[in-house]
Amino acid sequence: MTDFPSQPETPDISAPLNLSEAEWRARLSPAQYEVLRNKGTERPWTGALNQNKETGDYHCAGCGAKLFDSDSKFDSGCGWPSFYIPADSTAIAEHEDVSFGMRRVEVTCAKCGGHLGHVFPDGPKPTGLRYCINSLSLSFERR
Ligand code: FE
């Protein structure tokens, strides 16, 4: 048999993205890595997108998946970008988080598992939810 190099498979954009820690470190800035892969939290009021009021889409800074729409962003006053609903119900995964002596619901990117922030039941109508998201976990695309 002729030894042809194997053909790359067509990438499945809906498939989970599993990278090694070395690949994540190469792809992300140290600050992004600390939040997305190490479940860190940026200091309030420091995020570049906290006060962003432009119309567009918020994507995962780790893998590019669309996570939030600017239509659902609201001024929560908490110091982190806040949204009342994800762009798509399958874009985000929720996990119980009992770290730091609190009972919270962590939200992660469903595609790459990156830590985004937490969701709290004190948001505005229509959902009553506040997705409190680290700016470092997001990239913004103007529309
Ligand atoms: Fe992601």
Side-chain angles (χ1 to χ4, degrees):
M1 270 176 70
T2 315
D3 191 16
F4 287 113
S6 61
Q7 295 297 307
E9 290 177 33
T10 306
D12 178 357
I13 57 167
S14 66
L17 179 67
N18 294 307
L19 299 182
S20 69
E21 292 314 299
E23 288 171 315
W24 281 121
R25 286 200 183 274
R27 176 184 281 227
L28 302 172
S29 73
Q32 287 175 321
Y33 183 94
E34 177 57 22
V35 173
L36 281 163
R37 308 311 309 176
N38 225 6
K39 302 189 187 301
T41 301
E42 70 196 13
R43 285 184 296 120
W45 307 108
T46 62
L49 296 170
N50 182 42
Q51 307 273 38
N52 184 38
K53 292 185 168 55
E54 292 193 78
T55 300
D57 297 319
Y58 291 84
H59 296 260
C60 174
C63 73
K66 183 178 170 182
L67 300 177
F68 297 99
D69 191 297
S70 58
D71 291 351
S72 73
K73 194 172 191 285
F74 67 100
D75 195 357
S76 68
C78 74
W80 292 276
S82 299
F83 305 85
Y84 62 76
I85 196 169
D88 183 293
S89 61
T90 62
I92 281 180
E94 300 187 356
H95 317 268
E96 186 176 41
D97 174 9
V98 293
S99 64
F100 301 106
M102 293 178 274
R103 184 172 294 272
R104 295 180 295 171
V105 178
E106 179 199 9
V107 289
T108 58
C109 171
K111 183 174 172 69
C112 74
H115 173 76
L116 304 173
H118 292 85
V119 58
F120 300 96
D122 58 8
K125 289 177 181 178
T127 62
L129 298 173
R130 170 172 57 101
Y131 289 81
C132 182
I133 306 298
N134 287 281
S135 196
L136 283 166
S137 298
L138 299 171
S139 66
F140 179 72
E141 193 177 340
R142 198 177 285 116
R143 197 167 54 219

